[in-house]
Amino acid sequence: MRRPLQARVRFLWTLATWALIALAQPGVLRPDGFGHLAFFAVGPWALAARRPGKRAFLAEWAAHSLGFAAVFWWMVAFFPLLLLPMAVIPALYPALGGLALRRAPAWPLALLAPAAWMLAEVVRWTLPAPLSFGWFRLGFLMHDTEWLVGSAAWFGTWGLTWGMAALGGLAGDVALALVRPAGTPSGLVKAFGFGLTPLAVLAFLSSRPGGPTVSGPDVLVVQSGIEQEIKAARRDPLLDLFVPQVTRTLEALIETRVPGEAGGPDVIMWGETFLPGKLHEPDVLQDFRAGVRPTELSGRAAVSELELVQQHQLAEDLVSALLGTGPGELLTAPVWRQLFQREPAAEWADRVARGEPLLPPGTSFLSGVESWASVPMDGGQVLRSVNGVKLWTPDGRSTPIASKVHLVPGGESPDALRGIPFVLEAVRKVAKAVPDFVAGEEPGVLLIPGADGRVHRAGIAVCFDNAFDDPFTTPLRRGPVDLFVVVSNEAWYKSSPEMDHMLAFSRIAAAASRRSIVRATNSGISALIGPDGRVLQEVRGSDGRRKMVAGALRVRVPVPDRRAGAGGVGEATFFARTEPVQPWAWGGGAALILLFALVRRRFGHSGPGQPSPGFDFEG
């Protein structure tokens, strides 16, 4: 019979798991993290969880809550009160996993621990807010482990999580065998099999090479380095955002110009919601004239038709100025000169007033934008905001907006809080409005024309999308994708590890999709990530910093070679094809293992020779 464990000891051992995970995070001890610190992290929790004791569930829940608080600590820079629900609610699920371990027979922890951890992770990941908050998965800590991360092309982050949790469970089995060597040798052999086989399979899959690549679009990313307080204030978006960003773009074009080059890059990329103004499609204006309005909680219910039209025209006129595709309807030459005839914009503003383009011939422009959308809600139509990305070709034609599909719960969308009206009212009083964004139905793909005549298909992910799988897998299932672009604004969190987390997510996504990813951010971390998940280039300041700095990055993006005989490398990876069912498969498999173990114990059958679980933590 297993000896009971005191609640305080259980709490400390569970906390040890999270201490290893917290220290392994990117941005804590080093920018890319120390993922190997988390190889055995699950072990202390598994050892404690299998022992009975009073207040066992509460002790583990409390420790898991502190662990999630450490992982989500970057949130305090934005909204400290959110840290409590972000930690306490997700912590419920691994605490329930511990409950399953206590009920299970004495089977190897190398099998039971990954099953309990994986089931908790899948449940936490798939439940919507406010029932949970995804973000963290154990496997993402392997983003910088080159001999493992390539396996994401088959099993994504899920496979990496299982491999790490199995190794942690094996560490627990070895500890039990060393302290209480009363079990059968075959039990330890089976533990090593369950613990090392997943890692060996992942390492083998990771070693399989990807297909050949060729040079793709010539991309110039311009990172503003602007502080979020300035961007959010919107006192004068033209002078606070547009003028310095255009100046920085023109400087970057000079600094990165290739000797003898006649034109410029294929596309210039700006960050999330960086273009001043607010766009809308023609049907939005028609609905507005028919009486459709924003919601009262949004604080924009009093928007006028004139404001709607002028905000759209402002954005279009600014792009026309960059591309030189014609005089603006709102920003005519006299108005332009009046607004912009001051340093540092005087020189280029005069060029715009004369009708000259600012960008080189043949260069497209891509930027994060805001737009209005007319959507159904509560039995009627309302106007809500869209956070997306738009591309303008050199001749001024524009693509449809590629919309963000995963909105930040409570930060961008009120939908998760509609059942808690007093919280919505509190948000409205503090922020003077409630965020009214609406998510896109599916990720978008934008076509980037190249100077060589090729057209490159770029899948688009916007900020929080970057933490999920489907913005990268869905476009691949629909058709060919050459590269992905992540347009993001992480300046909310200043120089916290959140920026390093986001880069790590992008690296996993690149390895899982076998596609390069260009990150175009407002203040960091902008980078080019190769199809193998390695960071090829990134924006850094003169002092080496990559967060909250201004800079630019001009790169040739590697894309799949689609020529005949290139091996079909333009096709989707196994993970991309199976991603919708993988969480169910991993979670279902984990649930079946635990259920089978519980049934076996219920009917008195012993497990497969596990050493006696008599490890005395209290010594």
Side-chain angles (χ1 to χ4, degrees):
M1 184 175 179
R2 301 170 189 170
R3 295 176 56 190
L5 188 65
Q6 290 186 6
R8 61 180 175 82
V9 180
R10 182 186 307 278
F11 173 83
L12 292 175
W13 277 84
T14 305
L15 206 58
T17 284
W18 283 101
L20 291 172
I21 290 174
L23 291 174
Q25 291 183 91
V28 177
L29 296 180
R30 63 189 286 264
D32 290 324
F34 280 109
H36 291 181
L37 282 176
F39 264 163
F40 306 104
V42 171
W45 163 72
L47 282 169
R50 73 178 300 137
R51 295 272 296 276
K54 294 181 178 180
R55 299 182 296 278
F57 179 81
L58 292 177
E60 290 182 26
W61 192 4
H64 288 307
S65 296
L66 287 178
F68 277 108
V71 170
F72 294 138
W73 186 251
W74 46 266
M75 178 55 71
V76 299
F78 171 56
F79 195 7
L81 292 179
L82 281 180
L83 186 61
L84 182 62
M86 285 175 65
V88 173
I89 297 175
L92 175 65
Y93 307 113
L96 290 171
L99 184 64
L101 286 181
R102 282 188 292 283
R103 300 291 190 272
W107 288 11
L109 287 174
L111 175 65
L112 294 179
W117 187 278
M118 177 64 79
L119 183 57
E121 190 161 284
V122 169
V123 170
R124 176 176 55 81
W125 187 261
T126 54
L127 286 178
L131 298 177
S132 187
F133 185 78
W135 193 265
F136 170 79
R137 286 181 284 181
L138 184 65
F140 107 95
L141 296 173
M142 292 295 99
H143 70 98
D144 195 46
T145 305
E146 293 183 7
W147 59 277
L148 280 180
V149 72
S151 65
W154 281 265
F155 300 122
T157 307
W158 303 114
L160 295 168
T161 288
W162 188 281
M164 295 176 67
L167 199 59
L170 175 61
D173 290 321
V174 172
L176 286 171
L178 291 174
V179 175
R180 299 277 184 176
T184 62
S186 63
L188 194 57
V189 170
K190 291 176 181 178
F192 270 95
F194 287 127
L196 296 181
T197 300
L199 214 62
V201 171
L202 295 176
F204 169 74
L205 293 176
S206 185
S207 67
R208 299 186 65 181
T213 60
V214 295
S215 293
D218 183 355
V219 174
L220 176 62
V221 175
V222 183
Q223 181 173 298
S224 69
I226 191 170
E227 295 181 0
Q228 181 59 30
E229 290 81 359
I230 296 176
K231 184 174 183 293
R234 297 177 181 268
R235 289 185 297 267
D236 191 336
L238 291 178
L239 297 182
D240 290 344
L241 299 181
F242 187 75
V243 167
Q245 184 72 343
V246 171
T247 301
R248 195 171 292 111
T249 299
L250 297 179
E251 291 171 348
L253 284 169
I254 295 173
E255 294 167 359
T256 62
R257 185 175 182 181
V258 178
E261 181 181 52
D266 292 328
V267 61
I268 289 174
M269 297 182 180
W270 288 4
E272 183 184 3
T273 59
F274 210 88
L275 184 68
K278 191 164 183 175
L279 299 164
H280 66 261
E281 297 298 329
D283 64 305
V284 170
L285 191 58
Q286 295 172 9
D287 286 353
F288 184 91
R289 289 168 177 164
V292 178
R293 296 290 186 274
T295 62
E296 291 290 339
L297 284 174
S298 71
R300 299 178 177 180
V303 65
S304 66
E305 181 178 339
L306 179 61
E307 182 181 356
L308 210 67
V309 172
Q310 288 187 341
Q311 284 293 307
H312 176 89
Q313 196 59 53
L314 172 65
E316 291 288 358
D317 284 0
L318 293 176
V319 175
S320 295
L322 292 173
L323 299 175
T325 53
E329 295 181 23
L330 183 66
L331 297 179
T332 59
V335 174
W336 186 274
R337 282 195 172 95
Q338 182 180 359
L339 286 175
F340 297 106
Q341 281 298 341
R342 65 180 73 177
E343 295 295 341
E347 186 275 332
W348 59 258
D350 190 56
R351 288 168 53 192
V352 173
R354 294 196 303 267
E356 300 175 10
L358 293 179
L359 304 188
T363 296
S364 300
F365 174 66
L366 179 150
S367 178
V369 298
E370 277 193 44
S371 177
W372 286 110
S374 179
V375 298
M377 180 176 165
D378 298 333
Q381 290 288 120
V382 296
L383 295 187
R384 296 181 68 177
S385 299
V386 169
N387 183 354
V389 175
K390 200 173 183 70
L391 181 138
W392 287 264
T393 57
D395 58 5
R397 291 180 298 171
S398 64
T399 64
I401 292 176
S403 302
K404 189 174 188 177
V405 294
H406 291 283
L407 301 178
V408 179
E412 288 180 306
S413 171
D415 295 340
L417 303 176
R418 289 194 180 278
I420 320 174
F422 65 89
V423 175
L424 279 176
E425 185 61 24
V427 172
R428 188 188 65 79
K429 287 182 178 179
V430 171
K432 309 304 181 187
V434 171
D436 64 340
F437 286 91
V438 61
E441 294 183 359
E442 59 182 22
V445 174
L446 301 182
L447 305 182
I448 301 176
D452 56 4
R454 290 182 296 166
V455 176
H456 306 282
R457 295 174 58 85
I460 303 297
V462 183
C463 200
F464 194 46
D465 286 341
N466 184 57
F468 296 84
D469 297 322
D470 58 300
F472 304 95
T473 59
T474 301
L476 283 168
R477 290 195 299 275
R478 292 203 312 255
V481 175
D482 296 302
L483 70 151
F484 286 97
V485 177
V486 175
V487 176
S488 188
N489 175 32
E490 294 145 38
W492 291 98
Y493 308 102
K494 304 185 185 298
S495 297
S496 75
E498 186 268 354
M499 289 186 177
D500 303 284
H501 281 211
M502 291 290 269
L503 181 64
F505 296 149
S506 293
R507 295 182 66 178
I508 294 280
S513 62
R514 288 277 173 90
R515 297 296 188 276
S516 298
I517 293 181
V518 178
R519 287 180 50 83
T521 72
N522 292 350
S523 302
I525 302 169
S526 296
L528 169 64
I529 302 168
D532 57 358
R534 289 184 300 162
V535 177
L536 302 181
Q537 294 185 54
E538 59 187 7
V539 172
R540 288 186 178 268
S542 57
D543 57 358
R545 290 186 302 121
R546 57 183 189 174
K547 303 175 184 178
M548 300 306 299
V549 295
L553 179 70
R554 185 167 177 182
V555 292
R556 274 280 184 185
V557 183
V559 299
D561 187 351
R562 299 193 184 284
R563 293 174 299 181
V569 295
E571 298 178 359
T573 61
F574 177 80
F575 177 69
R577 294 195 302 270
T578 61
E579 180 269 326
V581 301
Q582 286 224 17
W584 300 100
W586 288 102
L592 286 176
I593 290 172
L594 294 174
L595 181 61
F596 185 63
L598 294 173
V599 170
R600 294 275 293 182
R601 187 181 187 192
R602 173 69 178 81
F603 290 99
H605 297 284
S606 60
Q610 168 68 3
S612 171
F615 184 15
D616 187 352
F617 293 99
E618 302 172 70

